[in-house]
Amino acid sequence: MTLIEEIKIQEEKDIVLCRRACREVARQLQFNLVDQTRITTATSELARNIFEYAGEGIVRIEKISKNMKQGLQITFMDEGPGIKDLNEAMGEGWSSHRGMGMGLPGARKLMDEFSITSTLGEGTRITVTKWRR
Amino acid sequence: MTLIEEIKIQEEKDIVLCRRACREVARQLQFNLVDQTRITTATSELARNIFEYAGEGIVRIEKISKNMKQGLQITFMDEGPGIKDLNEAMGEGWSSHRGMGMGLPGARKLMDEFSITSTLGEGTRITVTKWRR
Amino acid sequence: MELRIPILKIQDYLIVPIQIDMDDATASRLQQDILTKIEMTEASGVLIDISVMEMVDSYLGRILGDTARMANLMGAEVVLIGMQPAIAITLVELGLRLEGIYTALNIDQGIQLLDNLITQKEENGGS
Amino acid sequence: MELRIPILKIQDYLIVPIQIDMDDATASRLQQDILTKIEMTEASGVLIDISVMEMVDSYLGRILGDTARMANLMGAEVVLIGMQPAIAITLVELGLRLEGIYTALNIDQGIQLLDNLITQKEENGGS
Ligand SMILES: Nc1ncnc2c1ncn2[C@@H]1O[C@H](COP(=O)(O)OP(=O)(O)O)[C@@H](O)[C@H]1O
Ligand SMILES: Nc1ncnc2c1ncn2[C@@H]1O[C@H](COP(=O)(O)OP(=O)(O)O)[C@@H](O)[C@H]1O
């Protein structure tokens, strides 16, 4: 596991910086174009959630490997309000605000692995992974 | 009960080999074209589940007869993670991953008989039967 | 050692004759190839000939439906050609809906349909 | 220090070439700019060229879809031009539907489509 970059999300523009950084790393790790786009899009959704719901947080980009496979792992961490009902939040179309409710379920579908932990009043942590084919 | 063939599912291509083998047997047993297609499709769904969720397993193809009727019985066995909630898994559209959730309920509808047993941490065994008209 | 389904260009349209029993990786590769070829050739219509396919399960059905939706987003129309009765029956029983996907009995009717769809799209709109 | 996407007027149509990775504020500003420009110029059609966009997430997808619907209410038609295969794939997988939005492979086909759409509308009356 090699840490490649850590990006602070504090203002809206950081969402763009963050997704660009992930795309660049995905490109360097030789993910194909479609996977680069999937990774960038999932990152954009989850980084926006940090900004929208927690105000600020950190995105960590790591290179990992398992059984000869190379992968990109991205972790989204914040100390925001947390999510009350994870099942509800992971459902397609559910939004506590005026969103489309596609961020969490969408990111899950675009990536190979997705895990989320969230504690009310303490924060949320989401880890996603994409393996190179 | 006559064993006709046993096929190992270990890689993705085995799903194709397995459904082709079942089609060939169904043809030899003189199932009509629609039933051949139903059997092939159900096999494809269940063999894919073995590959997807258990990594590997075995598909057993058998000729059976009961009250003068001839039938084709296919058993899908794996020692994978098992299924936590069978009711949930058999429901249309339910998928633990990114699937369409049509494999189990679909295979059940396409075949005449369907039985499933699954134990968490031990594996899953599904038997389906089609009777010749 | 992955198989690759050929994609032909005839006038403004792409023709994709699927002649083998595709494994999942080949099907997913075909989806990408069709979309890339639409981009490269700017073909406004795609005919996917499934007349010799012996089976369409939920995975393949999803790939076909998704490909049509993706092509639509890029500005092209997709028509599925020659689905065998046994497959149509099985798909309905399976519960799979190929919503919004166009179908035709043979290549000629498919070309006719594409011609009409593309004029019609220009007249009535909606992809 | 907000970025602003230029909007060109060519004959009766607006052309919006999106060449940067827009942040949310820029995208929402662009939506307003397009609608204002439709009002000012009385353009009957808008071509949004997304051929160099590298990503469309649910926020941008919604902005694009909403812009089309809003323009429709004002009496103008919107066509999305040149969506890349990788984006079409991602949008369908994400589950986002750009329902009712017109698409075309390139600017020429987009202009053709707008011409036809607008003639058709004039013939039938109403939007
Ligand atoms: N980092 C987070 N902190 C707190 N709540 C979150 C976070 N991410 C998502 N949520 C909650 O989960 C809901 C669903 O999120 P999502 O699927 O991305 O849709 P949307 O953002 O459009 O509402 C949000 O409306 C919000 O209530
Ligand atoms: N052989 C198996 N081993 C473990 N889990 C299985 C197996 N087959 C099916 N499942 C579980 O049942 C769920 C539903 O299966 P299915 O109806 O085939 O839909 P899908 O495969 O599209 O998810 C799967 O998502 C998976 O969690």
Side-chain angles (χ1 to χ4, degrees), chain C residues 32 35-36 38-39 42-44 66 69-70 72-76 121-127, chain D residues 82-85 88-89 91-93 98 100-106 109 112-113 116-117 120:
Chain C
Q32 243 176 275
L35 300 175
T36 311
I38 291 173
E39 189 192 21
E42 303 195 329
S44 51
D66 282 356
R69 273 187 289 279
M70 291 161 183
N72 285 167
L73 284 174
M74 296 175 63
K121 175 172 138 187
E122 286 164 357
E123 280 167 6
N124 299 325
S127 77
Chain D
M83 184 184 293
Q84 285 179 19
I89 292 172
L91 282 182
V92 168
E93 288 178 352
L98 291 175
I101 204 167
Y102 293 102
T103 53
L105 291 160
N106 53 38
Q109 290 188 18
Q112 184 68 40
L113 175 53
N116 293 330
L117 278 173
Q120 170 81 15

Short mmCIF file of all heavy atoms in Angstrom, two decimals, chain C residues 32 35-36 38-39 42-44 66 69-70 72-76 121-127, chain D residues 82-85 88-89 91-93 98 100-106 109 112-113 116-117 120:
data_model
loop_
_atom_site.label_atom_id
_atom_site.label_comp_id
_atom_site.label_asym_id
_atom_site.label_seq_id
_atom_site.Cartn_x
_atom_site.Cartn_y
_atom_site.Cartn_z
N GLN C 32 -17.99 -1.80 -25.62
CA GLN C 32 -17.03 -0.70 -25.76
C GLN C 32 -16.64 -0.49 -27.22
O GLN C 32 -16.54 0.65 -27.68
CB GLN C 32 -15.78 -1.02 -24.94
CG GLN C 32 -15.57 -0.02 -23.83
CD GLN C 32 -14.38 -0.39 -22.98
OE1 GLN C 32 -14.52 -1.19 -22.06
NE2 GLN C 32 -13.22 0.17 -23.28
N LEU C 35 -19.34 1.40 -29.17
CA LEU C 35 -19.40 2.83 -28.84
C LEU C 35 -18.20 3.57 -29.44
O LEU C 35 -18.33 4.68 -29.96
CB LEU C 35 -19.47 3.02 -27.33
CG LEU C 35 -20.68 2.38 -26.65
CD1 LEU C 35 -20.60 2.51 -25.14
CD2 LEU C 35 -21.99 2.99 -27.15
N THR C 36 -17.02 2.95 -29.36
CA THR C 36 -15.83 3.58 -29.91
C THR C 36 -15.97 3.74 -31.43
O THR C 36 -15.59 4.77 -31.99
CB THR C 36 -14.59 2.72 -29.62
OG1 THR C 36 -14.60 2.37 -28.24
CG2 THR C 36 -13.32 3.47 -29.92
N ILE C 38 -18.75 4.02 -33.09
CA ILE C 38 -19.72 5.10 -33.37
C ILE C 38 -18.97 6.44 -33.34
O ILE C 38 -19.13 7.28 -34.21
CB ILE C 38 -20.84 5.13 -32.30
CG1 ILE C 38 -21.74 3.91 -32.44
CG2 ILE C 38 -21.67 6.41 -32.43
CD1 ILE C 38 -22.78 3.78 -31.33
N GLU C 39 -18.12 6.58 -32.33
CA GLU C 39 -17.38 7.84 -32.20
C GLU C 39 -16.47 8.05 -33.42
O GLU C 39 -16.46 9.11 -34.02
CB GLU C 39 -16.53 7.80 -30.92
CG GLU C 39 -15.89 9.15 -30.59
CD GLU C 39 -14.83 9.03 -29.50
OE1 GLU C 39 -14.30 7.92 -29.29
OE2 GLU C 39 -14.53 10.06 -28.89
N GLU C 42 -18.70 8.13 -36.79
CA GLU C 42 -19.88 8.98 -36.74
C GLU C 42 -21.09 8.32 -37.40
O GLU C 42 -21.91 8.99 -38.05
CB GLU C 42 -19.58 10.35 -37.34
CG GLU C 42 -18.39 10.98 -36.59
CD GLU C 42 -18.22 12.46 -36.84
OE1 GLU C 42 -18.57 12.90 -37.95
OE2 GLU C 42 -17.77 13.16 -35.92
N ALA C 43 -21.19 7.01 -37.23
CA ALA C 43 -22.36 6.29 -37.74
C ALA C 43 -23.58 6.70 -36.92
O ALA C 43 -23.51 6.76 -35.70
CB ALA C 43 -22.14 4.79 -37.63
N SER C 44 -24.69 6.94 -37.59
CA SER C 44 -25.86 7.41 -36.85
C SER C 44 -26.79 6.26 -36.45
O SER C 44 -27.77 6.47 -35.75
CB SER C 44 -26.63 8.43 -37.68
OG SER C 44 -26.87 7.89 -38.97
N ASP C 66 -28.14 -1.73 -22.31
CA ASP C 66 -27.24 -0.62 -21.94
C ASP C 66 -26.57 -0.03 -23.17
O ASP C 66 -26.42 1.19 -23.28
CB ASP C 66 -26.16 -1.11 -20.97
CG ASP C 66 -26.68 -1.26 -19.55
OD1 ASP C 66 -27.86 -0.93 -19.31
OD2 ASP C 66 -25.91 -1.71 -18.68
N ARG C 69 -28.82 2.34 -24.87
CA ARG C 69 -28.95 3.60 -24.13
C ARG C 69 -27.70 4.45 -24.26
O ARG C 69 -27.76 5.67 -24.39
CB ARG C 69 -29.24 3.32 -22.65
CG ARG C 69 -30.74 3.15 -22.36
CD ARG C 69 -30.99 3.05 -20.86
NE ARG C 69 -30.50 1.79 -20.33
CZ ARG C 69 -31.20 0.66 -20.41
NH1 ARG C 69 -32.39 0.65 -20.95
NH2 ARG C 69 -30.71 -0.46 -19.94
N MET C 70 -26.54 3.80 -24.20
CA MET C 70 -25.28 4.55 -24.31
C MET C 70 -25.15 5.17 -25.70
O MET C 70 -24.77 6.33 -25.85
CB MET C 70 -24.09 3.62 -24.05
CG MET C 70 -24.01 3.16 -22.59
SD MET C 70 -22.96 1.68 -22.40
CE MET C 70 -23.16 1.38 -20.63
N ASN C 72 -27.54 5.97 -27.67
CA ASN C 72 -28.49 7.08 -27.72
C ASN C 72 -27.89 8.35 -27.15
O ASN C 72 -28.06 9.43 -27.70
CB ASN C 72 -29.76 6.75 -26.91
CG ASN C 72 -30.67 5.77 -27.62
OD1 ASN C 72 -31.57 5.23 -27.03
ND2 ASN C 72 -30.44 5.54 -28.91
N LEU C 73 -27.19 8.21 -26.03
CA LEU C 73 -26.58 9.39 -25.40
C LEU C 73 -25.55 10.03 -26.33
O LEU C 73 -25.33 11.24 -26.32
CB LEU C 73 -25.90 9.02 -24.07
CG LEU C 73 -26.84 8.77 -22.90
CD1 LEU C 73 -26.07 8.27 -21.70
CD2 LEU C 73 -27.60 10.05 -22.55
N MET C 74 -24.91 9.18 -27.14
CA MET C 74 -23.91 9.71 -28.06
C MET C 74 -24.54 10.26 -29.33
O MET C 74 -23.88 10.92 -30.13
CB MET C 74 -22.92 8.61 -28.44
CG MET C 74 -22.10 8.12 -27.25
SD MET C 74 -21.05 6.71 -27.72
CE MET C 74 -19.99 7.51 -28.94
N GLY C 75 -25.82 9.96 -29.56
CA GLY C 75 -26.50 10.48 -30.74
C GLY C 75 -26.78 9.45 -31.81
O GLY C 75 -27.08 9.82 -32.94
N ALA C 76 -26.69 8.17 -31.50
CA ALA C 76 -26.95 7.13 -32.49
C ALA C 76 -28.11 6.24 -32.04
O ALA C 76 -28.41 6.13 -30.85
CB ALA C 76 -25.69 6.28 -32.71
N LYS C 121 -36.55 11.23 -35.71
CA LYS C 121 -35.90 11.89 -34.60
C LYS C 121 -35.70 13.34 -34.96
O LYS C 121 -35.90 14.25 -34.16
CB LYS C 121 -34.56 11.21 -34.35
CG LYS C 121 -33.71 11.86 -33.28
CD LYS C 121 -32.49 10.99 -32.96
CE LYS C 121 -31.27 11.86 -32.80
NZ LYS C 121 -30.05 11.10 -32.65
N GLU C 122 -35.35 13.54 -36.22
CA GLU C 122 -35.15 14.91 -36.66
C GLU C 122 -36.46 15.66 -36.71
O GLU C 122 -36.51 16.86 -36.60
CB GLU C 122 -34.46 14.90 -38.03
CG GLU C 122 -32.98 14.53 -37.86
CD GLU C 122 -32.29 14.13 -39.13
OE1 GLU C 122 -32.96 14.07 -40.17
OE2 GLU C 122 -31.08 13.88 -39.08
N GLU C 123 -37.57 14.89 -36.88
CA GLU C 123 -38.86 15.57 -36.94
C GLU C 123 -39.52 15.73 -35.58
O GLU C 123 -40.04 16.78 -35.27
CB GLU C 123 -39.82 14.81 -37.88
CG GLU C 123 -39.52 15.14 -39.34
CD GLU C 123 -40.22 14.19 -40.29
OE1 GLU C 123 -41.02 13.37 -39.84
OE2 GLU C 123 -39.95 14.29 -41.49
N ASN C 124 -39.50 14.65 -34.78
CA ASN C 124 -40.22 14.72 -33.51
C ASN C 124 -39.34 14.85 -32.29
O ASN C 124 -39.76 15.33 -31.27
CB ASN C 124 -41.08 13.47 -33.30
CG ASN C 124 -42.11 13.32 -34.36
OD1 ASN C 124 -42.64 14.31 -34.85
ND2 ASN C 124 -42.39 12.10 -34.74
N GLY C 125 -38.12 14.39 -32.42
CA GLY C 125 -37.20 14.52 -31.32
C GLY C 125 -37.29 13.43 -30.28
O GLY C 125 -38.08 12.53 -30.36
N GLY C 126 -36.44 13.55 -29.28
CA GLY C 126 -36.40 12.56 -28.22
C GLY C 126 -35.45 11.46 -28.56
O GLY C 126 -35.52 10.93 -29.65
N SER C 127 -34.51 11.18 -27.69
CA SER C 127 -33.63 10.05 -27.98
C SER C 127 -33.93 8.98 -26.99
O SER C 127 -34.52 9.20 -25.98
CB SER C 127 -32.17 10.44 -27.93
OG SER C 127 -31.74 10.53 -26.60
N GLY D 82 -21.64 15.20 -29.20
CA GLY D 82 -20.33 14.54 -29.09
C GLY D 82 -19.96 13.91 -27.75
O GLY D 82 -18.79 13.91 -27.38
N MET D 83 -20.95 13.34 -27.06
CA MET D 83 -20.59 12.69 -25.81
C MET D 83 -19.64 11.51 -26.07
O MET D 83 -19.90 10.66 -26.91
CB MET D 83 -21.83 12.18 -25.08
CG MET D 83 -21.52 11.57 -23.72
SD MET D 83 -22.98 10.86 -22.90
CE MET D 83 -23.96 12.32 -22.57
N GLN D 84 -18.54 11.47 -25.35
CA GLN D 84 -17.58 10.39 -25.51
C GLN D 84 -18.13 9.06 -25.00
O GLN D 84 -18.88 9.02 -24.03
CB GLN D 84 -16.31 10.69 -24.71
CG GLN D 84 -15.42 11.74 -25.34
CD GLN D 84 -14.20 11.98 -24.47
OE1 GLN D 84 -13.86 11.15 -23.63
NE2 GLN D 84 -13.56 13.11 -24.67
N PRO D 85 -17.70 7.95 -25.62
CA PRO D 85 -18.16 6.62 -25.18
C PRO D 85 -17.98 6.41 -23.67
O PRO D 85 -18.89 5.93 -23.01
CB PRO D 85 -17.26 5.66 -25.96
CG PRO D 85 -16.83 6.41 -27.16
CD PRO D 85 -16.79 7.86 -26.77
N ALA D 88 -20.72 8.10 -21.82
CA ALA D 88 -22.02 7.43 -22.02
C ALA D 88 -22.09 6.17 -21.15
O ALA D 88 -23.10 5.92 -20.49
CB ALA D 88 -22.20 7.08 -23.50
N ILE D 89 -21.00 5.40 -21.14
CA ILE D 89 -20.95 4.19 -20.33
C ILE D 89 -21.15 4.53 -18.85
O ILE D 89 -21.97 3.95 -18.15
CB ILE D 89 -19.60 3.45 -20.53
CG1 ILE D 89 -19.53 2.88 -21.96
CG2 ILE D 89 -19.42 2.34 -19.49
CD1 ILE D 89 -18.16 2.29 -22.33
N LEU D 91 -22.43 7.21 -17.41
CA LEU D 91 -23.75 7.76 -17.08
C LEU D 91 -24.79 6.65 -16.96
O LEU D 91 -25.62 6.67 -16.04
CB LEU D 91 -24.20 8.77 -18.13
CG LEU D 91 -23.56 10.15 -18.04
CD1 LEU D 91 -24.12 11.07 -19.12
CD2 LEU D 91 -23.81 10.76 -16.66
N VAL D 92 -24.76 5.70 -17.89
CA VAL D 92 -25.74 4.60 -17.84
C VAL D 92 -25.49 3.74 -16.60
O VAL D 92 -26.43 3.37 -15.89
CB VAL D 92 -25.69 3.75 -19.13
CG1 VAL D 92 -26.47 2.46 -18.97
CG2 VAL D 92 -26.26 4.56 -20.30
N GLU D 93 -24.22 3.46 -16.30
CA GLU D 93 -23.92 2.67 -15.11
C GLU D 93 -24.31 3.40 -13.82
O GLU D 93 -24.78 2.80 -12.86
CB GLU D 93 -22.43 2.31 -15.07
CG GLU D 93 -22.06 1.27 -16.12
CD GLU D 93 -20.59 0.93 -16.13
OE1 GLU D 93 -19.80 1.60 -15.43
OE2 GLU D 93 -20.22 0.01 -16.86
N LEU D 98 -30.78 10.92 -19.01
CA LEU D 98 -30.97 12.26 -19.56
C LEU D 98 -32.20 12.18 -20.46
O LEU D 98 -32.13 12.39 -21.66
CB LEU D 98 -29.74 12.69 -20.34
CG LEU D 98 -28.51 12.95 -19.48
CD1 LEU D 98 -27.29 13.25 -20.32
CD2 LEU D 98 -28.77 14.14 -18.55
N GLY D 100 -35.38 12.59 -22.63
CA GLY D 100 -35.94 13.66 -23.45
C GLY D 100 -34.92 14.64 -23.98
O GLY D 100 -35.27 15.62 -24.60
N ILE D 101 -33.64 14.39 -23.71
CA ILE D 101 -32.64 15.32 -24.21
C ILE D 101 -32.17 14.83 -25.59
O ILE D 101 -31.98 13.65 -25.81
CB ILE D 101 -31.47 15.50 -23.23
CG1 ILE D 101 -30.79 16.84 -23.46
CG2 ILE D 101 -30.46 14.36 -23.34
CD1 ILE D 101 -29.84 17.22 -22.33
N TYR D 102 -32.05 15.76 -26.53
CA TYR D 102 -31.59 15.40 -27.87
C TYR D 102 -30.07 15.26 -27.89
O TYR D 102 -29.37 15.98 -27.16
CB TYR D 102 -31.99 16.48 -28.87
CG TYR D 102 -33.47 16.57 -29.06
CD1 TYR D 102 -34.19 17.59 -28.44
CD2 TYR D 102 -34.14 15.66 -29.85
CE1 TYR D 102 -35.56 17.68 -28.62
CE2 TYR D 102 -35.51 15.74 -30.03
CZ TYR D 102 -36.22 16.76 -29.42
OH TYR D 102 -37.56 16.84 -29.59
N THR D 103 -29.59 14.34 -28.70
CA THR D 103 -28.15 14.15 -28.80
C THR D 103 -27.75 14.05 -30.28
O THR D 103 -28.57 13.66 -31.11
CB THR D 103 -27.72 12.84 -28.11
OG1 THR D 103 -28.50 11.76 -28.63
CG2 THR D 103 -27.90 12.90 -26.61
N ALA D 104 -26.52 14.41 -30.58
CA ALA D 104 -26.02 14.25 -31.94
C ALA D 104 -24.54 13.97 -31.88
O ALA D 104 -23.85 14.31 -30.90
CB ALA D 104 -26.30 15.49 -32.77
N LEU D 105 -24.04 13.34 -32.94
CA LEU D 105 -22.64 12.90 -32.94
C LEU D 105 -21.66 14.04 -33.14
O LEU D 105 -20.54 14.00 -32.64
CB LEU D 105 -22.44 11.85 -34.04
CG LEU D 105 -23.12 10.51 -33.78
CD1 LEU D 105 -23.28 9.73 -35.06
CD2 LEU D 105 -22.32 9.71 -32.76
N ASN D 106 -22.06 15.04 -33.93
CA ASN D 106 -21.15 16.17 -34.18
C ASN D 106 -21.97 17.43 -34.45
O ASN D 106 -23.19 17.37 -34.56
CB ASN D 106 -20.22 15.84 -35.36
CG ASN D 106 -21.01 15.40 -36.58
OD1 ASN D 106 -22.08 15.95 -36.84
ND2 ASN D 106 -20.51 14.41 -37.30
N GLN D 109 -24.35 17.34 -37.61
CA GLN D 109 -25.58 16.59 -37.39
C GLN D 109 -26.49 17.30 -36.39
O GLN D 109 -27.71 17.22 -36.47
CB GLN D 109 -25.28 15.16 -36.91
CG GLN D 109 -24.65 14.31 -38.00
CD GLN D 109 -24.52 12.85 -37.60
OE1 GLN D 109 -25.17 12.38 -36.68
NE2 GLN D 109 -23.67 12.11 -38.31
N GLN D 112 -28.29 20.06 -38.27
CA GLN D 112 -29.30 19.38 -39.08
C GLN D 112 -30.52 19.02 -38.22
O GLN D 112 -31.66 19.29 -38.59
CB GLN D 112 -28.66 18.10 -39.64
CG GLN D 112 -29.52 17.30 -40.58
CD GLN D 112 -29.74 18.06 -41.87
OE1 GLN D 112 -28.82 18.68 -42.39
NE2 GLN D 112 -30.96 18.03 -42.37
N LEU D 113 -30.23 18.43 -37.06
CA LEU D 113 -31.29 18.03 -36.15
C LEU D 113 -32.10 19.24 -35.70
O LEU D 113 -33.34 19.22 -35.70
CB LEU D 113 -30.68 17.28 -34.96
CG LEU D 113 -31.59 16.85 -33.82
CD1 LEU D 113 -32.77 16.04 -34.32
CD2 LEU D 113 -30.81 16.02 -32.79
N ASN D 116 -34.37 20.57 -38.46
CA ASN D 116 -35.56 19.74 -38.63
C ASN D 116 -36.53 19.90 -37.47
O ASN D 116 -37.74 19.97 -37.67
CB ASN D 116 -35.17 18.27 -38.79
CG ASN D 116 -34.44 18.03 -40.08
OD1 ASN D 116 -34.67 18.72 -41.07
ND2 ASN D 116 -33.53 17.08 -40.08
N LEU D 117 -35.98 19.91 -36.26
CA LEU D 117 -36.82 20.05 -35.09
C LEU D 117 -37.64 21.31 -35.15
O LEU D 117 -38.82 21.34 -34.82
CB LEU D 117 -35.95 20.13 -33.82
CG LEU D 117 -35.45 18.83 -33.22
CD1 LEU D 117 -34.47 19.14 -32.09
CD2 LEU D 117 -36.63 18.02 -32.70
N GLN D 120 -40.30 21.34 -37.98
CA GLN D 120 -41.39 20.48 -37.52
C GLN D 120 -42.29 21.22 -36.54
O GLN D 120 -43.51 21.17 -36.61
CB GLN D 120 -40.77 19.25 -36.86
CG GLN D 120 -41.73 18.37 -36.11
CD GLN D 120 -42.44 17.46 -37.08
OE1 GLN D 120 -42.02 17.32 -38.21
NE2 GLN D 120 -43.54 16.87 -36.67
#
